[in-house]
Amino acid sequence: MLLQLEKITKRFGNLTANDQLDFTLAEGEVHALIGENGAGKSTLMRILYGEETPTSGRILLNGRELKLDSPKDAIAAGIGMVHQHFMLFPEFTVAENIVIGREPKAGLVFDRKAAAAEVKALSDKYGMPVDPWQTMGDCPVGIQQRVEILKVLGQGAKIVILDEPTGALTPLEVEWLLKAIKGLAQQGISFILISHKLQEVIHAADRITVLRDGRVTGVMEAKDTNEEELSRLMVGRELQRRNKQAVEPGEGILDVQNVTIQGGKGAKPLLDRVHFQVHAGEIVGIAGVSGNGQSELIQAIAGLRRIDQGRIMVNGTDVTNALPLQVRNAGLAHIPEDRYSWGSSKEESVADNGIMGHLPTHSRSGLLREGKIRETVSRFIDTFKVKTGSLETKAKHLSGGNMQKLIVAREMAHGTPFVIAAEPTRGVDIGAMEIIHEALLQRRREMGAVLLVSSELTEILQLSDRILVMFEGRIAGELTAQEATEERISILMAGGTIHEAG
């Protein structure tokens, strides 16, 4: 066996993140590691990558015990990691990003031609085409990921940890990546694949290890399992099927009228005459490759970015270029696409984060009502199954998925007629996804209007009554739930026309 993690235990004070975990990896194997948020996956991989030291247990590579005190030690041992959020320099070229830290020199000067040649050879060897001279900031997400993988392979990695590798990719990019992983495995590279997407895991992996509450609940061959069994091992119960009842849409709640946001000098508009409505009792999905105007649209509606032309109405109130508080008062709740930049304060407590936006109803004569705050946030935690040590725990100590559940609970509790749900289940496990989806469907049943912006086509297809596809700042097409398929949406996302989909 190439790699063995034996009886790994990691404690943080009273919290046991990993409890006597065993994990093995063979040469040329793709081994998936799955589990709910907070199950211990990230901690285990941080230990393997030298970012954490285990409380007890040991790591064996080719039968010899490894001591990993830093990522530098891991890289030296042939272990590389591609993080969920890429660590690239957008102003550098592809070649410069790949050879950084081991740059070829011509005398004392960085030899760019040699770097480009090295990257071209690396790219050809592993069947991952890239343009060495292209500026990183101009590369689509799929190419950025290839660069990250080539970077760790160029460092000599024989074991590659992929953390949520398909989170921001289009369906075609996902298909390409999974084929590439299998091809690299045939060349002897071993992969540890961390993912919440069970269908992809079954398709890509040779073996699957399931974690729950820091312990292994199952290890199986991918060909011998299915999504239902994996879900049950992850969450400890059968998941409920969501009932998307028929609802007759009501009056228009969001009205976006020919909204335009100009780009820089000589650049295309960030938003180009975007026009649509969302009605009461309706979920409208926005699909598109990241960077095609979705973020600017959300920010414009929420009052976080000014528009140059057009008009935005929320619940009958003109909120064009209004302040965020004014938009909120008009009837908006906002689950933001970046839970840390826009949705929380990592240094504050779970209670403080949970009560954001609810303070007027939780204070008297300017003084906070601590008892009522604790009662409200505790209800959020119970309803959405947020795993936290206490209400005083700092938000930065929550896993990303648990932070997301807290934000969704907080925003849905406003009971507003309109909700922006931007990437509501990014980085959350299948159990949390079930809870969040049910909350959005419940708001729809209550005749609320939901604008769902997601890079997950499965999510868009499951929840949406209508789907708008964005491409280069425009609405490239609109599909009803009955018309929509992954193929049709993918063609529109790439700038094609729906006629090409058949």
Side-chain angles (χ1 to χ4, degrees), residues 40 133 143 151 201 211 312 391 407 409:
W133 297 101
I143 298 298
K151 183 166 67 174
V201 161
L211 302 186
I312 301 172
L391 293 176
I407 291 169

Side-chain angles (χ1 to χ4, degrees), residues 290-489:
S290 178
N292 277 274
Q294 302 95 310
S295 296
E296 289 80 6
L297 176 62
I298 296 164
Q299 292 164 15
I301 295 169
L304 297 168
R305 179 189 281 264
R306 294 185 66 81
I307 67 172
D308 296 304
Q309 295 173 31
R311 191 180 186 210
I312 301 172
M313 304 284 291
V314 171
N315 202 30
T317 301
D318 190 337
V319 296
T320 308
N321 291 330
L323 296 172
L325 181 59
Q326 293 171 316
V327 186
R328 287 232 173 218
N329 290 339
L332 167 72
H334 183 193
I335 301 165
E337 59 181 330
D338 187 326
R339 52 182 165 251
Y340 294 117
S341 296
W342 300 103
S344 63
S345 176
K346 291 195 287 186
E347 294 299 325
E348 303 305 323
S349 69
V350 167
D352 288 341
N353 276 275
I355 210 64
M356 286 177 180
H358 292 271
L359 291 178
T361 58
H362 288 72
S363 60
R364 181 183 292 134
S365 303
L367 297 176
L368 295 178
R369 300 170 66 185
E370 296 291 345
K372 190 174 181 183
I373 289 172
R374 296 182 68 83
E375 179 185 328
T376 297
V377 179
S378 294
R379 188 172 67 251
F380 295 166
I381 288 169
D382 291 342
T383 303
F384 281 77
K385 296 180 172 57
V386 180
K387 293 180 181 177
T388 178
S390 71
L391 293 176
E392 286 72 39
T393 298
K394 285 192 174 184
K396 67 181 180 181
H397 295 309
L398 293 184
S399 72
N402 281 302
M403 188 69 248
Q404 184 73 7
K405 286 190 282 186
L406 181 64
I407 291 169
V408 173
R410 178 188 76 203
E411 294 302 310
M412 299 307 288
H414 285 294
T416 55
F418 175 51
V419 177
I420 294 176
E423 303 292 353
T425 60
R426 177 177 281 169
V428 307
D429 59 74
I430 196 164
M433 193 179 298
E434 177 192 43
I435 294 169
I436 293 169
H437 283 180
E438 178 54 32
L440 295 174
L441 289 170
Q442 179 60 30
R443 183 52 48 86
R444 171 182 176 269
R445 290 191 288 269
E446 296 165 351
M447 298 305 290
V450 178
L451 182 65
L452 171 66
V453 182
S454 177
S455 53
E456 298 288 344
L457 286 195
T458 304
E459 181 168 64
I460 290 280
L461 288 164
Q462 282 181 351
L463 299 182
S464 303
D465 298 291
R466 287 188 293 129
I467 298 167
L468 307 176
V469 183
M470 294 194 71
F471 178 72
E472 294 187 344
R474 294 177 288 107
I475 302 294
E478 177 176 337
L479 299 166
T480 65
Q482 292 73 32
E483 296 169 335
T485 64
E486 283 203 13
E487 182 188 7
R488 290 183 170 203
I489 295 172

